[in-house]
Amino acid sequence: MAARHRLGNLDLLVLSDGTYYQDAGAVFGVVPRIMWERLAIPLNERYQMALGLNSLLVRSAGKTILIETGVGDKERVRAQSSPASEGTLLDGLRAVGVRPEDVDVVVNSHLHADHCGWNTRADDAGSFVPTFRRARYLIRRGEWEAATHPNERTRATYLPENILPLEAAGQLELIDGETKITDEVIVVDTPGHTADHASVLLASAGERAIYIGDMVQHSVQLERTAWVSSFDVFPLQAMETKKAVVRRAIDERELVVAVHCPYPGLGRLSETPDGKRRWTPVEANGGEV
Ligand SMILES: [Zn+2]
């Protein structure tokens, strides 16, 4: 499935890699269960809640850019979710007429296993190779360092097979700070979830959007910025980043694209006169394609 959204002159397609179930207590971190229980989020038998896996395909300045590659088909990651995630991103691309070799640029917000799964896949001999064989893969230098030198806390989510084949194939491009892919598509620093977590700003003909990566797993975490997740490696920094991003999204009327909100993960933030924030889901203006 794919949802088309026109942003200025940009054609955005939200593609889903399926649904990923994550431990709800971990999603809500230090927030007591009696508070997040009021949201009445359905949980499975493993106390997991459903998260979207929304990737974004953008065509800009002649380039086909894929932001985030989902959980992919790595069995040990898929199996952590009950039921296992479907891994539908490549089917979605095919349905909109995009072959893996058509993708020019891949961007990962960070390298946790549910964000870069389709970066690679096994070839016929069982070796992992880049899925998008013509693409440059843009990854923040510090994130690459963290992923290739994991510690006992981060090791389980940084899969060597998702990342090392990119370097071996010469398709890895390490980036520092704000990086323009085109005049309309810019990778920006949004630290906290990991030290070098990135988001992607999209701007065209006076309209703006931000793809926020793993800044939140549920929209309530945008409304209540103190609600930071246990997955954040640097929670207080994550909170400060989120406050700045939410402020700008309200002031600039940015469309927010949230990877883990229910498909297609589009929404807008607003503020009541007494300072309460509100997330409103937005339907893709081009409908389902
Ligand atoms: Zn993450």
Side-chain angles (χ1 to χ4, degrees):
M1 55 184 169
R4 169 161 281 149
H5 193 89
R6 193 83 184 162
L7 184 89
N9 301 316
L10 284 176
D11 197 20
L12 312 182
L13 280 169
V14 181
L15 299 154
S16 172
D17 198 39
T19 302
Y20 197 60
Y21 289 81
Q22 278 277 20
D23 184 272
V27 166
F28 290 111
V30 297
V31 177
R33 178 168 169 167
I34 54 159
M35 292 178 74
W36 60 259
E37 252 179 358
R38 291 178 201 146
L39 303 171
I41 297 167
L43 302 182
N44 68 11
E45 71 290 349
R46 287 157 70 176
Y47 306 103
Q48 294 175 322
M49 58 186 271
L51 304 185
L53 293 169
N54 302 308
S55 290
L56 197 57
L57 189 82
V58 188
R59 293 192 181 87
S60 171
K63 290 194 172 85
T64 298
I65 302 161
L66 178 62
I67 305 170
E68 218 84 311
T69 63
V71 168
D73 63 352
K74 312 293 186 313
E75 219 34 65
R76 60 171 160 150
V77 186
R78 295 183 62 229
Q80 286 166 18
S81 161
S82 176
S85 58
E86 296 92 333
T88 49
L89 178 61
L90 297 190
D91 297 335
L93 282 171
R94 194 177 309 119
V96 295
V98 176
R99 299 167 303 170
E101 58 268 34
D102 296 331
V103 175
D104 299 301
V105 179
V106 174
V107 187
N108 297 130
S109 65
H110 64 308
L111 296 171
H112 285 169
D114 55 330
H115 293 259
C116 64
W118 282 115
N119 276 8
T120 61
R121 59 187 313 189
D123 66 11
D124 293 340
S127 308
F128 288 99
V129 293
T131 305
F132 307 97
R133 55 187 167 79
R134 282 189 44 258
R136 294 182 294 136
Y137 286 73
L138 305 190
I139 294 167
R140 300 283 310 283
R141 187 180 306 276
E143 182 63 20
W144 177 264
E145 285 302 314
T148 52
H149 301 86
N151 58 38
E152 52 272 55
R153 159 88 195 272
T154 61
R155 188 167 293 130
T157 192
Y158 282 137
L159 273 56
E161 59 266 42
N162 280 340
I163 51 180
L164 297 183
L166 312 179
E167 186 179 39
Q171 290 177 244
L172 173 67
E173 190 171 320
L174 296 180
I175 56 174
D176 296 291
E178 197 167 295
T179 302
K180 251 186 198 186
I181 302 174
T182 70
D183 285 343
E184 301 162 318
V185 184
I186 303 168
V187 184
V188 294
D189 296 357
T190 46
H193 179 68
T194 64
D196 291 273
H197 180 274
S199 296
V200 183
L201 267 183
L202 308 158
S204 174
E207 290 191 64
R208 292 166 59 99
I210 182 166
Y211 185 92
I212 59 170
D214 219 354
M215 205 176 293
V216 301
Q217 292 79 45
H218 189 284
S219 56
V220 71
Q221 296 162 319
L222 290 167
E223 296 170 330
R224 303 178 190 189
T225 44
W227 286 34
V228 289
S229 136
S230 287
F231 300 119
D232 292 345
V233 181
F234 300 98
L236 292 182
Q237 191 181 26
M239 184 177 75
E240 294 304 325
T241 293
K242 202 163 56 163
K243 274 157 65 175
V245 166
V246 166
R247 181 76 267 152
R248 194 187 56 211
I250 293 168
D251 293 345
E252 307 277 338
R253 296 286 298 148
E254 282 174 355
L255 177 73
V256 177
V257 188
V259 50
H260 287 315
C261 283
Y263 172 83
L266 307 177
R268 285 192 199 278
L269 287 157
S270 56
E271 194 170 40
T272 60
D274 58 351
K276 285 206 177 67
R277 275 76 185 272
R278 197 190 153 123
W279 166 264
T280 308
V282 168
E283 273 187 41
N285 60 19
E288 281 292 311
V289 291

